[in-house]
Amino acid sequence: MNSYRVLNSRVARVDAVEKVVGKAVYTDDMVVSGMLYGAILHSPVAHARILSIDTSLAKALPGVKAVLTHADTGHVKFGVSPARYDETIFCEDKVRYVGDEVAAVAATDPGTAMKALDLIKVVYEPLPILLDGLRAMEPGAPKVHERFHRNICQEVHWHFGDVDAARAQADFVRTDSLSSKMQDGAFLEPQSALAQYDHNGYLTLYSSTQTTHYVHRTLAMVLDIPLHKVRVVKPYVGGGFGPKAACSSMELITALLAMKTGRPVKITFDREQVFLHSRARHQFFHKMTTGIRRDGTISFLEHHCIMDGGAYSSFGIASVYYAGSLLGGPYRLANMKYDGYRVFTNKPVSGAQRGHGAVIARALFEVQLDRLAEEIGMDPLELRLKNVMETGDTTCNELDMSSLGMRECLEAVRERTGWNSRRTKGSSHKADGHGMGVAAGFFVSGAGYPIYRSRTHHCTVEIKVAEVGGGVTVRSGAAEIGQGSDTMLAMITAEVLGIPMEDVKVLSGDSDLSVDLGAYSSRTTLMTGHATRQAAMDARKQILEVLAEKTGIPLDALDIRDGFVHVQGSQMDFASIRKEYLGEHRGFPTQPHGDLLTFAEASRLAFLERGSIIGKGSYRPPPLGGSFKGAAVGTSPAFGCSAQVAELNVDMETGQIHMERITGAHDCGFAINRTQVEAQMQGAMSMGLGEALMEEVKYDDQGRILNANLAEYKIPTAMDMPPLESIIVESHEPNGPFGAKEVGEGAIMPTIPAVLNALYDATGAMVTELPLTPERVLRAIKKARGETSRGDGDTREQV
Amino acid sequence: MKHDIQVTINGTSHQLAVPANRTLLELLRDDLRLTGTNKGCEAGDCGACTVLLDGDPVPSCLVLAVQADGCDVLTIEGLASGNRLHPIQQAFVDTGAVQCGYCTPGMILVSLALLRKNPHPDEAEIRGALSGNLCRCTGYQKIVQAVQAAAKEMP
Amino acid sequence: MVLPSFQVLIPSSLQEALDMLDGHPDARLLAGGTDLLVDLRPAVIRSAPFVPQGYADEWGIGYQQEPSGPLVSLHGLEQLRGLRSLTSHVRAGATTTVAELASSPLLRKHLTALAEGAAALGTPLVRNRGTYGGNICNARPAADTLVPTVALGGTLHLAHKNSTRKVSVVDFVLGPGRIALRAGELLTHIQLPFFPRQGSAYLKLGTRKALEIAQVGVAASVVLDQAGRVVHSGVALGAVGPTPILCHGTAESLHGHVPDQAAIRAASLAARREAAPISDHRASREYRLEMVQLLTRRALTRAVERARSAAAPGEQS
């Protein structure tokens, strides 16, 4: 047992009560006086030149206060990575996907705004449409952007070790492929933004974003406002999962409308617009060749990937690196070759989503490990244990596993599921419809570098001790989006300062409060946690210094616990301090009493002696990674890892999958809040299961989404989710605050392959295209029956 | 043209004049500023806008305000008494069933309707009752546990 | 996106409703609203904008006027609601909610397929609002209460200002979203016959266990004589044609036979022959054909089991 008083507990979230009583304020809940309602005109065609835009009728409609097109903007390009700025607020020369932003209006009510959109007349000249990512690089394919040759947004060519030499030494080699479909974030809260622009030129944007920092920078850059005059505030956010991690045209439009009208403007997406804006998981086409030795040692991996990114770059430049780099672990793999291409098509834009870039690659590699284990007659979990990396190992692409409880995770799920006794050996041939599958994976605990090149601190935190004494306020730019970061900040502060949680107030998600890169790459607990710990230690030191000066007790003999000052070895005479405090508080019904000096008295004293007490903290990772091109992507101060076992039943006649249970173990280094670690694991499993079984954005032949709604874009309901077991593994990460590292994304890594491996165990079927609809599963079952255990796309060979 | 309606919301009777095309969701959020009822899809798919209409959970985005004339509406704001949480709300807090919170009001109201009709539901009944309320954060595990815990606490 | 402007008429009696419909040939009926209000809300991406009144001329051809017909809301008409058991049939009011169908002990016992179809429709929230009559009048080929109604031989009672008429559900549904409701008419109730020694079942195939549109739905009903032979049967197929399909070949193949496994297999093959599915983004034609056969076999098997164990009213105290 540890000696923590707050950390590692199951204390309730600081925002839970507000959320269960319906008082938590999300952006669309906000109304300010004089507010206008904005609306966006999206392109109805996938690829066309804009010949003309006539807004005169819209402008003449009573109640319309502004109608904007590209002519009203500064034409500044933006995007995620400065190396790929390829978006403008509105389309200028042409539209590139159904949903591209063409114009916008602000009106006194939503109905008028909607009518005004219909009065904007745009004349398009249709251009050939490119919808198939696999055809994007072909000669003669329609060009989405003039400046990108062969529609390639980014390509990666890596070779670590010597794949050819390893191939010659391998005993078994097999090649498999797996493709997925474009996802949707399907967070419950559609994006919303509310902008205010004041007479001094200050812009405030309230937005349902994961990254106030990047929105702040992009607003300033695109709208040409001094950075210090832009403030981005994130109210409560109803889920993000990645797609809300970059500045959007909608946020820029809202701000621009407010600047043009001089009135507050709000825009809230319809659900359909959430799909059009997308920025969710790419569609991936992976092909992998993996070799192993007869004893189960993995020899090499050769990996080819094409990812369909839609019409703009967004996070794609990073996604294509992640797809390759995050196969460097968690198994010892000395030889790895990767060729990745992220291409443009005339479809909504893909970006980052939970497990950024790496989820489908992980799925195929873990499937390959299972098939190879079968070929050498080894238990697949055993094969993983044989190859697993340990703390201190470095991957072939120079990722440093400063802590890694991968073995512990695999052993934990093996034991909890009774794997050894329940999973039949050579089970692929039983095909009775019941199956178990295992898989593992790892993920960064915060990107090693910011998205733009900078020495910036990744986060700063200030803890202001109440001048009246008794409590503190944590001031942070970190983005609480449901993952629990506010609670983490409060817990660390309470622990370090030695005060109860209820005396810690968290102010967060505001670019005026501090720098924080935001909620992406599973960075907040490690990075903002560090900064918070430092700030709390600073505040604590300042208070105790004053106390030491006043009482003559050495600083290191003083401690604060449970809101009281404790002195090691001796008693403290604080009569004069208490007397002064009581004197200041005549008439207050509650007064400090008893044998111990309270935090309220100590912190008030500190203020009286020194003025405001503000603890400061910041965090910036050390230089990380190798020197090869793209080495920065995938680096992190720490890596979380996860193993899961999926159990399922398949209706062998319909192909329907019934999930029975998922058992997961995740190494989060150290659980700041045990309940929230489990919650993240369970959420990751559900998103992974959705991707495995049902999620798919579908298009017609004109690039229009067929299922831009939550009825036909299917995420799991409560009836689809099986019971989930979550086991916390703690490897005590040396680079993490209190040993903590990520849980939000690593926990999704094993889910899809565990399901695929369980399906194979149940039926002998290998499906090479996700999601696992009943029809695809049934087709694969039939194929497996016809060809014994051989799946489609399987070209295994014995060397 | 506006319609005069009488609707009881969280125990208080309101006389309101509403346009024909106003949904109950818009009435609650925009006119009465009861923003605990969330707007997630406006198509009856997600359940974020669930309210109890004469005791039954319904998607308020698919109810016209005029259709609620004479009805009793319970929203999430009507559940706690003062600072005292309803046992279901308390169970959601204690179990960790809340993450982003956007589905939470709907989940709690659906749970209330379930437990009123069926005070001791089994897990399958709970999952069935929750199946019209999507959650992207939790995988439903802790929500199901919260309903089970609340069932033990409720009189 | 807000709903476009429209007028809502709220009748307080059936006669008033019929008068309103008579006076507004372009009126649409609003029952639970779970389909209509979704359909009315303009899509963000749509082929032609709705141009406000008065602007259409300036745009010329190709632009739609905002919909202008009034909605006649049926929420105040108590007489259209509820289930009643008569000696040989059930009378279901058109605005009976899908949830009421799903939880009705009466249906569970006598017309199980309809209760199962209702329980499979949408989500609990939608079932609390959506109505039986609405699900029928929307006439989607996959509609979860419509398909059992076809199998169970439902008769629709339609009222007009000056008259009433009856029409079988099979004749009423003409195509996707197209029904034989005449201007001024209103569906008042659905009549479903039930028999001693009857069993029925509805099976729905989807990827997800709730909030799902059937890729294939099959409803089967079997009535046995005292010797265990089929005297009457109905098999209806959903999502495999422009309307639910009542399988005549299946009924013929079962008639007069003891429904053993071989008979059920033969009947299922007959059902497959009558299905006319297309390939769409939900499922392919081939898969649907195969599933029609499989689900018919399973639904018939279940219906026969239920028929055998059914104690018809009067046969058991």
Side-chain angles (χ1 to χ4, degrees):
Chain A
M1 277 308 292
N2 59 59
S3 57
Y4 294 118
R5 293 174 177 258
V6 181
L7 300 182
N8 213 235
S9 72
R10 292 184 174 277
V11 66
R13 293 172 62 110
V14 296
D15 53 359
V17 171
E18 276 196 303
K19 287 175 174 176
V20 299
V21 299
K23 296 278 192 259
V25 173
Y26 301 86
T27 305
D28 187 57
D29 296 341
M30 298 176 66
V31 171
V32 290
S33 63
M35 189 177 87
L36 301 173
Y37 294 83
I40 299 171
L41 182 68
H42 299 269
S43 168
V45 291
H47 198 194
R49 208 171 301 287
I50 298 172
L51 297 183
S52 65
I53 306 176
D54 180 354
T55 60
S56 55
L57 282 179
K59 281 179 173 154
L61 187 71
V64 172
K65 300 298 174 191
V67 182
L68 304 181
T69 69
H70 67 86
D72 304 290
T73 70
H75 310 284
V76 178
K77 289 199 168 172
F78 70 98
V80 170
S81 165
R84 292 290 181 282
Y85 282 168
D86 57 6
E87 294 184 66
T88 49
I89 300 182
F90 296 112
C91 296
E92 309 212 327
D93 53 341
K94 65 177 189 174
V95 294
R96 293 185 173 84
Y97 72 97
V98 174
D100 223 349
E101 296 86 355
V102 175
V105 303
T108 47
D109 65 280
T112 302
M114 194 175 86
K115 284 190 173 119
L117 290 184
D118 283 339
L119 295 175
I120 299 170
K121 193 170 187 178
V122 186
V123 181
Y124 297 103
E125 177 190 271
L127 295 169
I129 304 173
L130 173 64
L131 296 178
D132 183 351
L134 290 178
R135 283 196 47 232
M137 293 186 285
E138 287 177 3
K143 237 174 148 40
V144 180
H145 293 268
E146 280 309 311
R147 69 181 257 224
F148 293 109
H149 182 55
R150 293 173 66 212
N151 291 313
I152 297 172
C153 165
Q154 178 70 21
E155 58 187 297
V156 183
H157 303 286
W158 278 341
H159 191 167
F160 305 105
D162 188 339
V163 162
D164 292 330
R167 191 195 314 266
Q169 310 252 308
D171 295 312
F172 291 89
V173 174
R174 62 176 288 140
T175 300
D176 294 285
S177 59
L178 182 67
S179 66
S180 65
K181 297 292 163 21
M182 187 179 163
Q183 303 288 307
D184 185 75
F187 34 79
L188 268 284
E189 181 214 17
Q191 287 95 330
S192 180
L194 193 167
Q196 290 176 301
Y197 187 65
D198 74 14
H199 293 289
N200 297 321
Y202 280 81
L203 174 74
T204 302
L205 186 84
Y206 299 87
S207 180
S208 57
T209 180
Q210 300 176 226
T211 51
T212 54
H213 178 76
Y214 294 109
V215 175
H216 175 190
R217 281 179 60 90
T218 309
L219 287 175
M221 177 180 80
V222 177
L223 303 174
D224 196 18
I225 309 172
L227 275 157
H228 68 278
K229 291 194 168 186
V230 177
R231 176 183 176 207
V232 180
V233 184
K234 176 214 66 67
Y236 280 120
V237 169
F241 312 111
K244 291 179 182 170
C247 187
S248 69
S249 281
M250 186 269 270
E251 289 166 310
L252 289 158
I253 288 168
T254 309
L256 190 60
L257 284 168
M259 292 168 73
K260 297 277 181 186
T261 59
R263 289 172 65 171
V265 176
K266 182 166 78 175
I267 296 183
T268 300
F269 271 169
D270 283 351
R271 179 55 62 178
E272 185 181 351
Q273 290 172 295
V274 176
F275 282 88
L276 296 174
H277 178 66
S278 185
R279 320 285 152 146
R281 174 117 51 240
H282 287 70
Q283 179 175 24
F284 292 89
F285 301 90
H286 289 285
K287 187 177 171 194
M288 290 182 192
T289 301
T290 299
I292 62 166
R293 306 289 296 267
R294 207 173 299 276
D295 68 357
T297 310
I298 303 170
S299 309
F300 74 93
L301 164 64
E302 192 172 3
H303 174 196
H304 182 273
C305 168
I306 295 175
M307 39 201 286
D308 182 348
Y312 297 99
S313 291
S314 180
F315 272 96
I317 179 171
S319 316
V320 67
Y321 279 112
Y322 271 121
S325 69
L326 291 186
L327 290 178
Y331 310 111
R332 293 201 172 90
L333 175 62
N335 308 291
M336 180 168 82
K337 194 165 182 291
Y338 174 55
D339 296 289
Y341 302 85
R342 198 268 190 182
V343 299
F344 293 110
T345 56
N346 294 118
K347 287 191 290 195
V349 185
S350 295
Q353 188 175 330
R354 195 176 217 158
H356 189 184
V359 168
I360 307 300
R362 170 60 51 194
L364 178 56
F365 187 57
E366 294 285 323
V367 165
Q368 284 218 295
L369 292 183
D370 259 43
R371 297 298 84 73
L372 287 163
E374 183 183 45
E375 294 196 23
I376 62 169
M378 188 183 264
D379 177 87
L381 204 153
E382 204 55 52
L383 178 101
R384 287 172 171 82
L385 285 172
K386 181 172 175 60
N387 288 283
V388 83
M389 298 176 96
E390 307 281 355
T391 294
D393 284 348
T394 301
T395 67
C396 63
N397 52 333
E398 299 182 53
L399 307 179
D400 177 11
M401 300 294 154
S402 41
S403 68
L404 193 74
M406 193 68 259
R407 175 179 299 281
E408 291 78 0
C409 288
L410 282 162
E411 286 170 348
V413 295
R414 180 171 67 180
E415 185 183 338
R416 182 69 64 90
T417 59
W419 175 273
N420 284 351
S421 58
R422 291 181 55 225
R423 189 179 182 278
T424 338
K425 282 242 162 63
S427 53
S428 59
H429 302 292
K430 66 184 168 69
D432 63 354
H434 178 264
M436 292 174 85
V438 69
F442 78 114
F443 199 73
V444 303
S445 191
Y449 296 87
I451 290 169
Y452 58 97
R453 200 173 292 239
S454 169
R455 288 201 304 123
T456 183
H457 296 273
H458 290 212
C459 49
T460 59
V461 170
E462 288 176 9
I463 294 178
K464 178 161 184 189
V465 181
E467 286 147 344
V468 293
V472 302
T473 302
V474 183
R475 302 199 294 204
S476 158
E480 169 64 75
I481 59 169
Q483 86 282 38
S485 61
D486 279 358
T487 304
M488 178 274 294
L489 299 180
M491 290 178 75
I492 288 179
T493 302
E495 182 71 48
V496 173
L497 275 169
I499 60 176
M501 279 266 284
E502 60 261 29
D503 292 333
V504 179
K505 182 159 115 188
V506 177
L507 294 180
S508 69
D510 183 336
S511 63
D512 270 5
L513 291 173
S514 90
V515 167
D516 194 294
L517 299 187
Y520 70 99
S521 78
S522 292
R523 55 175 295 287
T524 307
T525 294
L526 188 145
M527 297 194 182
T528 314
H530 257 309
T532 305
R533 178 168 180 263
Q534 196 179 58
M537 287 170 69
D538 184 17
R540 179 182 179 277
K541 181 161 166 275
Q542 293 182 52
I543 294 166
L544 293 182
E545 273 172 4
V546 170
L547 207 54
E549 285 162 17
K550 291 295 269 188
T551 61
I553 293 172
L555 186 61
D556 56 10
L558 292 169
D559 192 16
I560 312 172
R561 289 197 306 271
D562 304 324
F564 294 97
V565 177
H566 293 262
V567 186
Q568 211 172 26
S570 65
Q571 286 290 318
M572 177 169 66
D573 178 10
F574 57 81
S576 63
I577 300 172
R578 176 152 293 172
K579 190 176 169 211
E580 182 178 21
Y581 188 92
L582 292 175
E584 277 194 310
H585 293 86
R586 282 189 196 155
F588 283 59
T590 304
Q591 300 281 13
H593 57 88
D595 301 340
L596 294 171
L597 187 71
T598 64
F599 177 74
E601 292 163 289
S603 53
R604 175 68 183 170
L605 177 69
F607 164 70
L608 294 175
E609 294 297 320
R610 289 197 179 179
S612 297
I613 303 289
I614 297 174
K616 294 197 314 180
S618 64
Y619 180 78
R620 172 167 55 195
L624 295 166
S627 55
F628 55 91
K629 181 171 164 32
V633 184
T635 60
S636 177
F639 296 90
C641 61
S642 222
Q644 285 167 21
V645 169
E647 297 175 59
L648 50 75
N649 250 310
V650 182
D651 184 327
M652 298 295 282
E653 292 182 310
T654 64
Q656 284 168 298
I657 293 173
H658 169 76
M659 294 303 304
E660 292 183 330
R661 176 171 298 276
I662 302 178
T663 306
H666 184 87
D667 170 21
C668 65
F670 170 77
I672 299 288
N673 184 312
R674 301 187 74 81
T675 302
Q676 291 308 310
V677 169
E678 292 170 355
Q680 284 296 304
M681 292 171 69
Q682 292 161 2
M685 290 175 195
S686 104
M687 189 171 279
L689 196 61
E691 295 189 28
L693 298 185
M694 56 187 77
E695 294 185 33
E696 170 176 6
V697 178
K698 300 172 181 178
Y699 297 90
D700 70 7
D701 62 1
Q702 295 301 303
R704 292 175 293 222
I705 300 177
L706 290 166
N707 57 340
N709 55 67
L710 293 172
E712 292 224 64
Y713 181 84
K714 299 168 191 179
I715 66 170
T717 71
M719 287 173 78
D720 298 292
M721 286 308 297
L724 306 172
E725 287 215 43
S726 4
I727 304 163
I728 298 173
V729 171
E730 297 177 306
S731 64
H732 301 280
E733 166 60 46
N735 298 328
F738 308 96
K741 54 186 179 180
E742 71 86 35
V743 58
E745 299 186 78
I748 198 176
M749 291 295 162
T751 310
I752 298 172
V755 170
L756 285 165
N757 288 336
L759 175 66
Y760 180 81
D761 184 45
T763 64
M766 272 189 78
V767 182
T768 57
E769 183 182 3
L770 295 173
L772 299 172
T773 60
E775 180 167 2
R776 282 196 191 104
V777 171
L778 187 65
R779 208 185 304 140
I781 289 172
K782 287 181 174 179
K783 190 158 190 171
R785 279 188 187 140
E787 304 174 14
T788 64
S789 70
R790 296 186 60 132
D792 45 354
D794 167 5
T795 58
R796 68 193 164 148
E797 52 190 292
Q798 187 168 351
V799 183
Chain B
M1 189 194 108
K2 288 196 173 182
H3 295 255
D4 292 318
I5 62 168
Q6 179 278 323
V7 54
T8 302
I9 298 168
N10 301 331
T12 304
S13 174
H14 295 258
Q15 304 285 336
L16 299 158
V18 295
N21 64 347
R22 199 119 182 109
T23 63
L24 178 57
L25 173 63
E26 289 161 345
L27 177 77
L28 294 170
R29 285 181 60 80
D30 302 338
D31 298 344
L32 303 174
R33 304 288 303 132
L34 293 169
T35 54
T37 306
N38 289 324
K39 183 169 78 177
C41 71
E42 292 184 296
D45 298 324
C46 75
C49 68
T50 301
V51 300
L52 299 193
L53 187 68
D54 290 336
D56 289 327
V58 302
S60 61
C61 67
L62 295 187
V63 180
L64 292 181
V66 294
Q67 290 178 297
D69 187 17
C71 291
D72 186 80
V73 176
L74 181 69
T75 75
I76 192 67
E77 289 89 348
L79 218 53
S81 29
N83 282 332
R84 201 183 150 79
L85 298 183
H86 185 279
I88 299 176
Q89 292 172 315
Q90 191 63 52
F92 270 63
V93 171
D94 295 342
T95 317
V98 178
Q99 289 191 36
C100 86
Y102 211 73
C103 75
T104 306
M107 288 286 182
I108 289 172
L109 289 167
V110 163
S111 304
L112 175 64
L114 169 70
L115 294 180
R116 278 177 179 168
K117 275 189 182 166
N118 180 359
H120 305 289
D122 63 24
E123 182 176 336
E125 288 168 332
I126 293 171
R127 288 184 181 274
L130 300 177
S131 65
N133 295 71
L134 297 175
C135 171
R136 191 60 151 170
C137 295
T138 63
Y140 307 100
Q141 179 71 28
K142 290 187 187 293
I143 295 177
V144 171
Q145 287 167 352
V147 179
Q148 289 168 332
K152 289 192 187 125
E153 290 300 314
M154 275 173 68
Chain C
M1 196 77 83
V2 293
L3 287 168
S5 329
F6 48 71
Q7 195 189 356
V8 175
L9 304 176
I10 304 165
S12 51
S13 71
L14 179 58
Q15 194 55 51
E16 191 185 355
L18 295 172
D19 289 343
M20 284 173 175
L21 290 173
D22 191 57
H24 296 91
D26 57 350
R28 279 160 302 168
L29 291 160
L30 172 65
T34 54
D35 286 307
L36 182 60
L37 295 183
V38 177
D39 293 345
L40 281 177
R41 203 177 286 279
V44 173
I45 302 297
R46 51 191 191 273
S47 50
F50 295 110
V51 170
Q53 307 268 348
Y55 284 93
D57 290 348
E58 300 191 46
W59 285 128
I61 301 163
Y63 288 84
Q64 295 165 240
Q65 287 278 342
E66 269 192 339
S68 55
L71 307 187
V72 175
S73 179
L74 305 177
H75 69 271
L77 306 184
E78 280 302 318
Q79 66 263 54
L80 294 185
R81 188 172 280 168
L83 293 163
R84 262 196 294 157
S85 171
L86 302 164
T87 47
S88 63
H89 65 267
V90 170
R91 183 187 190 281
T95 62
T96 305
T97 64
V98 177
E100 287 174 78
L101 300 183
S103 62
S104 157
L106 179 68
L107 294 189
R108 289 251 156 229
K109 182 171 177 197
H110 295 299
L111 299 164
T112 320
L114 182 56
E116 289 180 337
L121 186 151
T123 70
L125 304 177
V126 169
R127 296 197 286 273
N128 281 339
R129 286 300 291 170
T131 66
Y132 188 18
N135 198 228
I136 289 175
C137 289
N138 269 295
R140 311 317 308 184
D144 290 311
T145 68
L146 174 57
V147 176
T149 303
V150 170
L152 294 167
T155 301
L156 312 184
H157 289 244
L158 309 171
H160 186 268
K161 189 182 176 189
N162 303 316
S163 61
T164 60
R165 67 181 175 117
K166 291 193 287 188
V167 58
S168 103
V169 66
V170 178
D171 296 331
F172 184 73
V173 178
L174 306 174
R178 290 199 305 121
I179 51 175
L181 195 73
R182 295 172 190 155
E185 265 185 343
L186 175 72
L187 170 64
T188 56
H189 62 277
I190 301 99
Q191 192 167 310
L192 297 146
F194 61 81
F195 305 92
R197 292 176 299 279
Q198 179 178 13
S200 65
Y202 176 72
L203 293 175
K204 172 179 183 173
L205 182 88
T207 302
R208 184 157 71 159
K209 291 178 180 164
L211 186 47
E212 183 70 324
I213 295 169
Q215 291 165 16
V216 173
V218 174
S221 166
V222 174
V223 181
L224 303 177
D225 65 13
Q226 281 176 328
R229 288 176 304 239
V230 176
V231 288
H232 181 73
S233 71
V235 170
L237 314 177
V240 291
T243 65
I245 294 168
L246 181 64
C247 299
H248 298 287
T250 311
E252 273 171 35
S253 115
L254 285 171
H255 190 79
H257 290 80
V258 171
D260 56 13
Q261 275 193 20
I264 287 175
R265 280 182 188 279
S268 306
L269 189 59
R272 178 182 180 138
R273 290 199 193 101
E274 289 183 69
I278 55 165
S279 290
D280 64 13
H281 67 91
R282 298 186 187 116
S284 74
R285 173 182 158 81
E286 294 68 31
Y287 181 69
R288 283 183 159 130
L289 281 174
E290 190 177 342
M291 289 303 105
V292 158
Q293 188 176 350
L294 174 73
L295 263 56
T296 304
R297 170 161 66 77
R298 289 183 178 179
L300 272 173
T301 304
R302 202 171 285 187
V304 167
E305 281 167 13
R306 286 174 178 160
R308 286 180 180 146
S309 63
E315 286 195 338
Q316 199 182 340
S317 58

